[in-house]
Amino acid sequence: MTDRRTFLRRTLLALGGATLAGCDRISESETGTKVLASAEAVTRRVQRFLSPSTALAKEFTEADISPVFKPNGSTMPDTPAYQALLRDGFSGYRLEVDGMVERPARLSLEELKSLGTRTQITRHDCVEGWSAIGKWTGTPLAALLDHVGPKEGARYVVFHCFDNIEEDTPYYESIDLVEARHPQTLLAYALNGAPLPVANGAPLRLRVERQLGYKHAKYLRRIELVASFAEVGEGNGGYWEDNGYEWYAGI
């Protein structure tokens, strides 16, 4: 099995390099766009084979925690709704959960915490090339899903955020239900034993430990379950995906 996985990893790397070398020409045609989308789907399936749904991201010790956990992306949302919550110390914060669910909900942080808690020390890998190790505490997303009950046909979890990356362009992200139910996928409200700092996503952020940093949406406002994300944003599953990043960012 080890030799087989090594072969598959090397094959994927070779195919990825070939794709990148010709991507400018390929992406200029409608057919090329479909080919690239298909290739990403194949890559995602192979990555899932190499790292099955039960595989855990590496966890570390207290001694490994980085002195500073560098924030990525937005560090202070300037939207009126967020600023009002910040002035009130997030006491009025409610996480909305809707879409294809049996029991839509609006949960305070305390109500969210009552569903369950998990603490893990993991490494955050940014697409920009840096990494940091932090201790995260939060509610497993699987516990929230059990609370609201996904309807038949729901396939993806979309995270709508308070921050605008561009004017009138709210940040959003998405993962599938397999990743959402992974035991290390958290709705985190604490970092290194303290309430989540604003720069790192207060009051609540996503931790999806088997994927790159841009998938870890911060400043969560609303969670929506959908059958397809084609009608969300520009239809690619996330803000950065709408700007050319891959939807599945497995590491």
Side-chain angles (χ1 to χ4, degrees):
M1 178 63 75
T2 301
D3 291 343
R4 186 181 181 188
R5 291 187 177 185
T6 300
F7 169 76
L8 286 170
R9 290 183 192 276
R10 289 174 178 171
T11 301
L12 280 175
L13 288 172
L15 289 173
T19 300
L20 288 173
C23 64
D24 287 343
R25 294 188 300 276
I26 294 172
S27 62
E28 290 173 359
S29 70
E30 182 179 352
T31 300
T33 300
K34 292 180 180 177
V35 169
L36 289 176
S38 176
E40 182 182 342
V42 171
T43 299
R44 184 164 68 250
R45 288 195 294 270
V46 174
Q47 283 182 300
R48 277 277 162 78
F49 170 75
L50 295 174
S51 181
S53 59
T54 55
L56 298 176
K58 181 178 179 179
E59 296 193 19
F60 298 82
T61 69
E62 297 268 355
D64 299 313
I65 294 174
S66 301
V68 175
F69 197 98
K70 180 181 177 180
N72 61 313
S74 300
T75 56
M76 174 59 78
D78 59 3
T79 54
Y82 185 83
Q83 287 295 313
L85 287 170
L86 179 60
R87 287 193 297 270
D88 196 32
F90 300 112
S91 63
Y93 175 77
R94 299 293 184 273
L95 175 67
E96 298 183 26
V97 189
D98 56 22
M100 297 181 67
V101 298
E102 298 290 348
R103 298 173 292 278
R106 293 184 75 251
L107 301 173
S108 68
L109 287 178
E110 290 305 313
E111 290 170 328
L112 190 64
K113 292 175 183 178
S114 73
L115 300 180
T117 185
R118 176 184 170 94
T119 296
Q120 59 200 30
I121 302 175
T122 52
R123 188 180 66 210
H124 180 101
D125 292 308
C126 182
V127 71
E128 296 172 350
W130 58 268
S131 63
I133 294 174
K135 177 181 176 181
W136 302 95
T137 300
T139 297
L141 181 53
L144 176 63
L145 293 177
D146 290 341
H147 180 72
V148 298
K151 290 184 176 180
E152 184 177 354
R155 295 182 60 199
Y156 303 99
V157 182
V158 180
F159 304 89
H160 301 275
C161 305
F162 282 107
D163 54 326
N164 288 347
I165 300 296
E166 302 172 24
E167 187 176 358
D168 298 324
T169 306
Y171 194 88
Y172 80 102
E173 226 351 304
S174 66
I175 57 177
D176 63 19
L177 281 175
V178 173
E179 204 72 25
R181 287 196 173 279
H182 188 270
Q184 291 174 313
T185 299
L186 298 185
L187 301 175
Y189 44 75
L191 172 60
N192 295 338
L196 197 61
V198 169
N200 295 107
L204 193 69
R205 70 172 293 162
L206 174 67
R207 294 300 305 175
V208 52
E209 303 297 356
R210 303 192 304 172
Q211 298 201 39
L212 289 170
Y214 66 85
K215 299 293 292 187
H216 300 227
K218 302 194 296 185
Y219 313 115
L220 297 183
R221 174 178 62 84
R222 174 184 169 222
I223 292 177
E224 178 186 16
L225 269 68
V226 299
S228 167
F229 48 67
E231 302 300 321
V232 183
E234 295 182 14
N236 298 299
Y239 171 81
W240 287 113
E241 291 87 333
D242 289 340
N243 287 275
Y245 283 53
E246 290 187 354
W247 175 77
Y248 188 78
I251 51 176

